Amino acid sequence: MSTMAERVTTTFVDLAPADWRQAFFDLGLPPFRGSQVAVQVYHRLAPTYAAMTDLPRSLRQELEERLPLGMGQEVAVQAAAGGVVKALLKFAGEASAECVLLPYHYGTSACLSSQVGCRQGCVFCATGASGFSRSLRAGEMMAQYLALARKAAPERVSRVVMMGAGEPLDNYQEVLAFLRRLNDPATFGVSFRRMTISTVGLVPEIDRLASERLPIRLALSLHATTDEVRSLLIPENRRYPIAQILAAADRYAEASGRRVTYEFILIGGLTDQDDEAHRLADLVGRHPGHVNLIPLNPTSHFPYQRPSGNRVRAFADILQAAGVATTVRRTMGQEVDAACGQLRRRYDQRGDLIAPVRVQSAGTKSLP
């Protein structure tokens, strides 16, 4: 298992804009060259030094050795109808991360990973079934965004959702560093209001994020209306039960000025029943925000199915009748393993197909 304690080679995308010129000065190179490379990377979307033909060839060769770009190696790409593209990038230490390009009528979003694997152990998630290796650096998240920006060009990737592999708030410092760099006009100037951080509900980190006073949207992975069921689906609920995470979400909404999104997965025969919808309406109706229903994206390790379209609509109708703002997540990219961790689970560190890993639900009780 690799860790962040391993020796890390600094790459260009690891650098914040304020460090570009100093990094080149420290290498004994003219500082203005740092700004030149930044223009190539962030404005012209150059994928390699070799593509930066306005730089001397000798300089390009030197930079390859002394300051790698850090774009990662694209080891798998899948495309689906509607312009959905999923890429698997391999970074140093055999770490790999998935990212997904999601075109919508209102703009193009990038769904990015924050960790290699995940520590949270959510039983319905393919990422957790693969275990945890390490957290990603801010530069590795930027490399994901850049890979998708190149695929979307000339369209702009105007929104970022930290909903890929990993728990973003378990990698707080690097995720915030990445989002601040992405917001910087010297890179892409993406508005904080067009960024979303998803979390299973790490209460201290939610409060820490609230203290930043940034208008980033928080998406809380609620997924059940009782602590008994939620603890089976999301083991972290034993540390921070529903009442605590909802209170933290309220504090975040007040501090950030943004409504919280309550993510709720609809699992056929488990969380898609009418009584669950009524409990959810009562639970969330007391808190500022809206509910985003997510029909289960089936995976090989979780023995449940997606509910029918009629069942999803009936569930949503109950919420809306109770005055709860409700959306149903648009199904995108099933044919490209678009759920978190699915593509990575199909590839080992050599890029070969691997067999699916079955996991047991955590806790002393089992799912029905």
Side-chain angles (χ1 to χ4, degrees):
M1 179 181 294
S2 59
T3 69
M4 292 298 287
E6 293 177 348
R7 183 176 180 273
V8 175
T9 299
T10 298
T11 69
F12 186 82
V13 294
D14 285 323
L15 301 174
D19 299 327
W20 292 336
R21 294 175 65 87
Q22 183 64 46
F24 275 66
F25 177 81
D26 292 343
L27 291 173
L29 298 171
F32 78 89
R33 292 297 191 189
S35 300
Q36 278 189 311
V37 171
V39 168
Q40 289 282 351
V41 169
Y42 295 109
H43 296 185
R44 300 180 186 175
L45 301 178
T48 63
Y49 280 121
M52 302 179 192
T53 53
D54 60 343
L55 298 180
R57 178 175 298 180
S58 59
L59 176 61
R60 285 180 271 157
Q61 293 172 341
E62 180 179 358
L63 289 173
E64 287 280 7
E65 297 178 2
R66 302 183 67 193
L67 185 64
L69 279 182
M71 297 294 186
Q73 177 188 357
E74 199 172 87
V75 296
V77 180
Q78 295 179 335
V84 177
V85 179
K86 186 166 196 175
L88 180 66
L89 301 182
K90 181 178 174 183
F91 297 109
E94 300 300 317
S96 59
E98 301 173 25
C99 52
V100 188
L101 187 71
L102 299 167
Y104 294 96
H105 66 88
Y106 52 75
T108 301
S109 295
C111 180
L112 308 180
S113 295
S114 57
Q115 295 179 313
V116 182
C118 186
R119 280 192 269 247
Q120 306 310 310
C122 302
V123 299
F124 52 82
C125 179
T127 297
S130 299
F132 175 78
S133 296
R134 68 171 175 86
S135 292
L136 293 169
R137 305 196 307 273
E140 292 167 327
M141 289 175 248
M142 183 64 81
Q144 295 174 60
Y145 180 91
L146 285 163
L148 297 180
R150 288 191 290 271
K151 295 181 185 303
E155 295 297 322
R156 172 180 164 83
V157 179
S158 58
R159 288 171 171 79
V160 170
V161 292
M162 302 304 298
M163 293 183 176
E167 163 59 57
L169 295 187
D170 189 34
N171 188 19
Y172 186 97
Q173 185 171 330
E174 294 297 313
V175 168
L176 262 290
F178 160 64
L179 295 179
R180 290 184 188 278
R181 291 177 198 174
L182 194 65
N183 172 256
D184 195 307
T187 62
F188 293 100
V190 176
S191 169
F192 285 124
R193 297 188 67 84
R194 294 187 173 187
M195 299 178 184
T196 300
I197 292 178
S198 176
T199 179
V200 298
L202 305 187
V203 170
E205 285 71 27
I206 293 174
D207 287 334
R208 182 180 176 187
L209 185 62
S211 71
E212 306 277 358
R213 302 279 175 173
L214 297 173
I216 296 171
R217 183 176 294 279
L218 183 72
L220 181 63
S221 297
L222 186 57
H223 299 328
T225 60
T226 67
D227 284 322
E228 181 181 18
V229 174
R230 192 171 191 269
S231 292
L232 293 173
L233 294 174
I234 304 173
E236 193 69 24
N237 192 72
R238 298 188 190 97
R239 290 180 64 199
Y240 306 115
I242 291 174
Q244 289 188 29
I245 64 174
L246 291 180
D250 286 348
R251 293 192 294 272
Y252 183 82
E254 182 177 359
S256 67
R258 301 297 305 278
R259 291 192 309 164
V260 172
T261 296
Y262 296 98
E263 306 279 353
F264 198 89
I265 191 167
L266 294 179
I267 302 171
L270 184 61
T271 63
D272 67 338
Q273 303 303 304
D274 287 357
D275 58 348
E276 187 83 351
H278 288 294
R279 285 195 298 269
L280 181 60
D282 181 62
L283 194 65
V284 176
R286 295 173 257 153
H287 302 271
H290 83 280
V291 171
N292 186 24
L293 299 176
I294 308 171
L296 177 70
N297 199 335
T299 61
S300 59
H301 74 285
F302 187 59
Y304 286 86
Q305 296 301 314
R306 174 193 300 269
S308 68
N310 287 339
R311 181 90 293 273
V312 172
R313 284 189 289 274
F315 196 101
D317 287 345
I318 291 172
L319 294 176
Q320 290 169 340
V324 176
T326 305
T327 55
V328 178
R329 180 174 292 180
R330 175 182 162 199
T331 300
M332 301 178 74
Q334 280 185 276
E335 62 269 49
V336 296
D337 300 321
C340 299
Q342 285 187 324
L343 180 57
R344 178 174 172 259
R345 275 172 53 81
R346 296 185 62 236
Y347 285 83
D348 65 9
Q349 303 300 349
R350 298 183 305 279
D352 299 327
L353 287 173
I354 61 174
V357 179
R358 188 173 183 80
V359 299
Q360 300 295 325
S361 61
T364 57
K365 297 184 179 181
S366 60
L367 292 170

Short mmCIF file of all heavy atoms in Angstrom, two decimals, residues 113-154:
data_model
loop_
_atom_site.label_atom_id
_atom_site.label_comp_id
_atom_site.label_asym_id
_atom_site.label_seq_id
_atom_site.Cartn_x
_atom_site.Cartn_y
_atom_site.Cartn_z
N SER A 113 -12.13 12.44 -8.78
CA SER A 113 -11.80 11.63 -7.61
C SER A 113 -10.85 12.39 -6.69
O SER A 113 -10.00 13.17 -7.15
CB SER A 113 -11.14 10.32 -8.04
OG SER A 113 -12.03 9.50 -8.77
N SER A 114 -10.98 12.13 -5.39
CA SER A 114 -10.12 12.78 -4.41
C SER A 114 -9.17 11.81 -3.72
O SER A 114 -8.23 12.22 -3.06
CB SER A 114 -10.98 13.48 -3.34
OG SER A 114 -11.84 12.56 -2.71
N GLN A 115 -9.43 10.50 -3.88
CA GLN A 115 -8.59 9.49 -3.27
C GLN A 115 -8.47 8.29 -4.19
O GLN A 115 -9.29 8.10 -5.10
CB GLN A 115 -9.18 9.04 -1.91
CG GLN A 115 -9.21 10.14 -0.86
CD GLN A 115 -9.83 9.66 0.44
OE1 GLN A 115 -10.88 9.03 0.46
NE2 GLN A 115 -9.17 9.97 1.56
N VAL A 116 -7.46 7.48 -3.94
CA VAL A 116 -7.32 6.19 -4.62
C VAL A 116 -7.97 5.17 -3.69
O VAL A 116 -7.41 4.79 -2.67
CB VAL A 116 -5.85 5.83 -4.87
CG1 VAL A 116 -5.75 4.50 -5.62
CG2 VAL A 116 -5.16 6.94 -5.65
N GLY A 117 -9.19 4.77 -4.03
CA GLY A 117 -9.96 3.97 -3.10
C GLY A 117 -10.67 4.87 -2.11
O GLY A 117 -10.80 6.08 -2.31
N CYS A 118 -11.13 4.27 -1.01
CA CYS A 118 -11.88 5.05 -0.02
C CYS A 118 -11.87 4.30 1.30
O CYS A 118 -11.92 3.07 1.33
CB CYS A 118 -13.31 5.27 -0.50
SG CYS A 118 -14.29 6.36 0.57
N ARG A 119 -11.83 5.08 2.38
CA ARG A 119 -11.83 4.47 3.72
C ARG A 119 -13.23 4.29 4.30
O ARG A 119 -13.38 3.67 5.35
CB ARG A 119 -11.04 5.36 4.68
CG ARG A 119 -9.54 5.21 4.59
CD ARG A 119 -8.88 5.90 5.77
NE ARG A 119 -8.56 7.27 5.46
CZ ARG A 119 -7.31 7.75 5.36
NH1 ARG A 119 -6.28 6.95 5.52
NH2 ARG A 119 -7.11 9.02 5.10
N GLN A 120 -14.27 4.81 3.65
CA GLN A 120 -15.58 4.88 4.28
C GLN A 120 -16.34 3.55 4.25
O GLN A 120 -17.20 3.31 5.09
CB GLN A 120 -16.42 5.98 3.63
CG GLN A 120 -15.73 7.34 3.62
CD GLN A 120 -15.19 7.74 4.98
OE1 GLN A 120 -15.90 7.68 5.98
NE2 GLN A 120 -13.93 8.16 5.03
N GLY A 121 -16.08 2.70 3.28
CA GLY A 121 -16.68 1.37 3.26
C GLY A 121 -18.16 1.31 2.97
O GLY A 121 -18.84 0.37 3.42
N CYS A 122 -18.71 2.27 2.23
CA CYS A 122 -20.12 2.21 1.86
C CYS A 122 -20.37 0.95 1.03
O CYS A 122 -19.70 0.71 0.03
CB CYS A 122 -20.51 3.45 1.06
SG CYS A 122 -20.20 5.00 1.95
N VAL A 123 -21.34 0.14 1.44
CA VAL A 123 -21.45 -1.21 0.89
C VAL A 123 -21.95 -1.23 -0.55
O VAL A 123 -21.75 -2.22 -1.26
CB VAL A 123 -22.36 -2.09 1.77
CG1 VAL A 123 -21.79 -2.23 3.16
CG2 VAL A 123 -23.79 -1.56 1.81
N PHE A 124 -22.60 -0.15 -1.01
CA PHE A 124 -23.14 -0.12 -2.37
C PHE A 124 -22.15 0.46 -3.37
O PHE A 124 -22.45 0.56 -4.56
CB PHE A 124 -24.43 0.71 -2.41
CG PHE A 124 -24.28 2.07 -1.79
CD1 PHE A 124 -23.74 3.13 -2.49
CD2 PHE A 124 -24.66 2.29 -0.47
CE1 PHE A 124 -23.59 4.38 -1.90
CE2 PHE A 124 -24.52 3.52 0.13
CZ PHE A 124 -23.98 4.57 -0.59
N CYS A 125 -20.98 0.88 -2.89
CA CYS A 125 -20.04 1.63 -3.72
C CYS A 125 -18.88 0.75 -4.18
O CYS A 125 -18.22 0.10 -3.36
CB CYS A 125 -19.52 2.83 -2.92
SG CYS A 125 -18.32 3.84 -3.81
N ALA A 126 -18.61 0.77 -5.48
CA ALA A 126 -17.53 -0.04 -6.03
C ALA A 126 -16.16 0.44 -5.55
O ALA A 126 -15.23 -0.36 -5.44
CB ALA A 126 -17.58 -0.01 -7.56
N THR A 127 -16.03 1.73 -5.26
CA THR A 127 -14.75 2.24 -4.80
C THR A 127 -14.33 1.60 -3.48
O THR A 127 -13.20 1.16 -3.31
CB THR A 127 -14.81 3.77 -4.62
OG1 THR A 127 -15.05 4.38 -5.89
CG2 THR A 127 -13.50 4.31 -4.06
N GLY A 128 -15.25 1.57 -2.53
CA GLY A 128 -14.93 1.01 -1.23
C GLY A 128 -14.55 -0.46 -1.30
O GLY A 128 -13.75 -0.94 -0.50
N ALA A 129 -15.12 -1.18 -2.27
CA ALA A 129 -14.81 -2.60 -2.42
C ALA A 129 -13.37 -2.83 -2.86
O ALA A 129 -12.84 -3.93 -2.71
CB ALA A 129 -15.77 -3.23 -3.43
N SER A 130 -12.73 -1.81 -3.38
CA SER A 130 -11.35 -1.93 -3.84
C SER A 130 -10.34 -1.57 -2.77
O SER A 130 -9.14 -1.64 -3.00
CB SER A 130 -11.13 -1.02 -5.07
OG SER A 130 -11.98 -1.40 -6.13
N GLY A 131 -10.81 -1.16 -1.58
CA GLY A 131 -9.90 -0.79 -0.52
C GLY A 131 -9.37 0.62 -0.69
O GLY A 131 -9.76 1.35 -1.61
N PHE A 132 -8.47 1.02 0.19
CA PHE A 132 -7.91 2.36 0.17
C PHE A 132 -6.41 2.29 -0.01
O PHE A 132 -5.72 1.50 0.66
CB PHE A 132 -8.24 3.09 1.48
CG PHE A 132 -7.60 4.45 1.61
CD1 PHE A 132 -8.14 5.54 0.95
CD2 PHE A 132 -6.46 4.63 2.37
CE1 PHE A 132 -7.55 6.78 1.05
CE2 PHE A 132 -5.87 5.87 2.49
CZ PHE A 132 -6.41 6.96 1.82
N SER A 133 -5.87 3.13 -0.92
CA SER A 133 -4.43 3.19 -1.13
C SER A 133 -3.84 4.47 -0.56
O SER A 133 -2.99 4.44 0.32
CB SER A 133 -4.10 3.08 -2.63
OG SER A 133 -4.49 1.83 -3.14
N ARG A 134 -4.32 5.61 -1.07
CA ARG A 134 -3.81 6.89 -0.58
C ARG A 134 -4.72 8.01 -1.06
O ARG A 134 -5.57 7.83 -1.94
CB ARG A 134 -2.39 7.15 -1.06
CG ARG A 134 -2.22 7.38 -2.56
CD ARG A 134 -0.79 7.83 -2.85
NE ARG A 134 -0.49 7.97 -4.27
CZ ARG A 134 -0.72 9.06 -4.99
NH1 ARG A 134 -1.31 10.11 -4.45
NH2 ARG A 134 -0.37 9.11 -6.27
N SER A 135 -4.51 9.18 -0.48
CA SER A 135 -5.21 10.37 -0.95
C SER A 135 -4.46 10.98 -2.12
O SER A 135 -3.24 10.87 -2.23
CB SER A 135 -5.33 11.40 0.19
OG SER A 135 -6.20 10.94 1.19
N LEU A 136 -5.20 11.62 -3.00
CA LEU A 136 -4.61 12.28 -4.16
C LEU A 136 -4.14 13.69 -3.80
O LEU A 136 -4.72 14.36 -2.94
CB LEU A 136 -5.61 12.36 -5.31
CG LEU A 136 -6.00 11.01 -5.93
CD1 LEU A 136 -7.20 11.19 -6.84
CD2 LEU A 136 -4.84 10.39 -6.67
N ARG A 137 -3.09 14.13 -4.47
CA ARG A 137 -2.61 15.49 -4.28
C ARG A 137 -3.45 16.46 -5.12
O ARG A 137 -4.13 16.06 -6.07
CB ARG A 137 -1.13 15.60 -4.69
CG ARG A 137 -0.22 14.62 -3.98
CD ARG A 137 1.25 15.01 -4.11
NE ARG A 137 1.66 15.22 -5.49
CZ ARG A 137 2.09 14.24 -6.30
NH1 ARG A 137 2.13 12.99 -5.86
NH2 ARG A 137 2.49 14.51 -7.52
N ALA A 138 -3.38 17.73 -4.76
CA ALA A 138 -4.11 18.74 -5.51
C ALA A 138 -3.74 18.70 -6.99
O ALA A 138 -4.61 18.84 -7.86
CB ALA A 138 -3.83 20.13 -4.92
N GLY A 139 -2.47 18.48 -7.28
CA GLY A 139 -2.03 18.42 -8.67
C GLY A 139 -2.61 17.24 -9.43
O GLY A 139 -2.89 17.33 -10.63
N GLU A 140 -2.84 16.14 -8.74
CA GLU A 140 -3.43 14.97 -9.40
C GLU A 140 -4.90 15.18 -9.67
O GLU A 140 -5.44 14.66 -10.65
CB GLU A 140 -3.19 13.73 -8.53
CG GLU A 140 -1.72 13.34 -8.49
CD GLU A 140 -1.38 12.33 -7.41
OE1 GLU A 140 -2.02 12.36 -6.33
OE2 GLU A 140 -0.46 11.52 -7.63
N MET A 141 -5.56 15.97 -8.84
CA MET A 141 -6.95 16.35 -9.14
C MET A 141 -6.98 17.32 -10.32
O MET A 141 -7.86 17.23 -11.18
CB MET A 141 -7.60 16.95 -7.90
CG MET A 141 -7.89 15.93 -6.81
SD MET A 141 -8.54 16.67 -5.29
CE MET A 141 -7.17 16.38 -4.17
N MET A 142 -6.01 18.24 -10.36
CA MET A 142 -5.93 19.15 -11.49
C MET A 142 -5.66 18.38 -12.78
O MET A 142 -6.20 18.72 -13.85
CB MET A 142 -4.85 20.20 -11.26
CG MET A 142 -4.76 21.25 -12.36
SD MET A 142 -6.25 22.27 -12.53
CE MET A 142 -5.98 23.47 -11.20
N ALA A 143 -4.84 17.34 -12.71
CA ALA A 143 -4.56 16.53 -13.90
C ALA A 143 -5.83 15.88 -14.43
O ALA A 143 -6.03 15.77 -15.65
CB ALA A 143 -3.51 15.48 -13.58
N GLN A 144 -6.72 15.45 -13.53
CA GLN A 144 -8.00 14.89 -13.96
C GLN A 144 -8.83 15.94 -14.69
O GLN A 144 -9.40 15.68 -15.76
CB GLN A 144 -8.79 14.38 -12.75
CG GLN A 144 -8.17 13.21 -12.02
CD GLN A 144 -8.96 12.88 -10.76
OE1 GLN A 144 -10.15 12.56 -10.82
NE2 GLN A 144 -8.32 12.99 -9.60
N TYR A 145 -8.92 17.13 -14.09
CA TYR A 145 -9.68 18.21 -14.72
C TYR A 145 -9.10 18.53 -16.10
O TYR A 145 -9.85 18.70 -17.08
CB TYR A 145 -9.67 19.45 -13.84
CG TYR A 145 -10.45 20.61 -14.42
CD1 TYR A 145 -11.80 20.77 -14.12
CD2 TYR A 145 -9.85 21.51 -15.29
CE1 TYR A 145 -12.52 21.82 -14.67
CE2 TYR A 145 -10.56 22.56 -15.84
CZ TYR A 145 -11.90 22.71 -15.53
OH TYR A 145 -12.61 23.75 -16.10
N LEU A 146 -7.79 18.61 -16.19
CA LEU A 146 -7.15 18.93 -17.47
C LEU A 146 -7.43 17.86 -18.51
O LEU A 146 -7.67 18.17 -19.69
CB LEU A 146 -5.64 19.09 -17.26
CG LEU A 146 -5.20 20.40 -16.60
CD1 LEU A 146 -3.78 20.28 -16.06
CD2 LEU A 146 -5.30 21.56 -17.58
N ALA A 147 -7.41 16.59 -18.11
CA ALA A 147 -7.69 15.50 -19.05
C ALA A 147 -9.09 15.64 -19.62
O ALA A 147 -9.31 15.46 -20.83
CB ALA A 147 -7.52 14.15 -18.36
N LEU A 148 -10.05 15.99 -18.77
CA LEU A 148 -11.42 16.15 -19.24
C LEU A 148 -11.60 17.44 -20.03
O LEU A 148 -12.37 17.48 -21.00
CB LEU A 148 -12.38 16.13 -18.05
CG LEU A 148 -12.40 14.82 -17.25
CD1 LEU A 148 -13.40 14.92 -16.10
CD2 LEU A 148 -12.73 13.63 -18.14
N ALA A 149 -10.88 18.48 -19.64
CA ALA A 149 -10.97 19.75 -20.38
C ALA A 149 -10.49 19.56 -21.82
O ALA A 149 -11.06 20.14 -22.76
CB ALA A 149 -10.13 20.82 -19.69
N ARG A 150 -9.45 18.76 -22.00
CA ARG A 150 -8.96 18.50 -23.36
C ARG A 150 -9.99 17.72 -24.17
O ARG A 150 -10.17 17.96 -25.37
CB ARG A 150 -7.63 17.74 -23.31
CG ARG A 150 -6.46 18.59 -22.83
CD ARG A 150 -5.13 17.90 -23.05
NE ARG A 150 -4.96 16.76 -22.15
CZ ARG A 150 -4.42 16.83 -20.94
NH1 ARG A 150 -4.02 18.01 -20.47
NH2 ARG A 150 -4.27 15.75 -20.20
N LYS A 151 -10.69 16.79 -23.51
CA LYS A 151 -11.70 16.00 -24.22
C LYS A 151 -12.93 16.84 -24.56
O LYS A 151 -13.62 16.59 -25.55
CB LYS A 151 -12.09 14.78 -23.39
CG LYS A 151 -10.94 13.79 -23.19
CD LYS A 151 -11.36 12.59 -22.39
CE LYS A 151 -10.16 11.69 -22.09
NZ LYS A 151 -9.47 11.27 -23.31
N ALA A 152 -13.23 17.83 -23.72
CA ALA A 152 -14.42 18.67 -23.93
C ALA A 152 -14.18 19.78 -24.94
O ALA A 152 -15.14 20.31 -25.50
CB ALA A 152 -14.87 19.27 -22.61
N ALA A 153 -12.93 20.19 -25.14
CA ALA A 153 -12.60 21.34 -25.99
C ALA A 153 -13.27 21.21 -27.36
O ALA A 153 -13.33 20.11 -27.92
CB ALA A 153 -11.09 21.46 -26.12
N PRO A 154 -13.79 22.32 -27.90
CA PRO A 154 -13.67 23.70 -27.41
C PRO A 154 -14.69 24.11 -26.34
O PRO A 154 -14.69 25.25 -25.91
CB PRO A 154 -13.88 24.53 -28.68
CG PRO A 154 -14.86 23.71 -29.46
CD PRO A 154 -14.48 22.28 -29.20
#
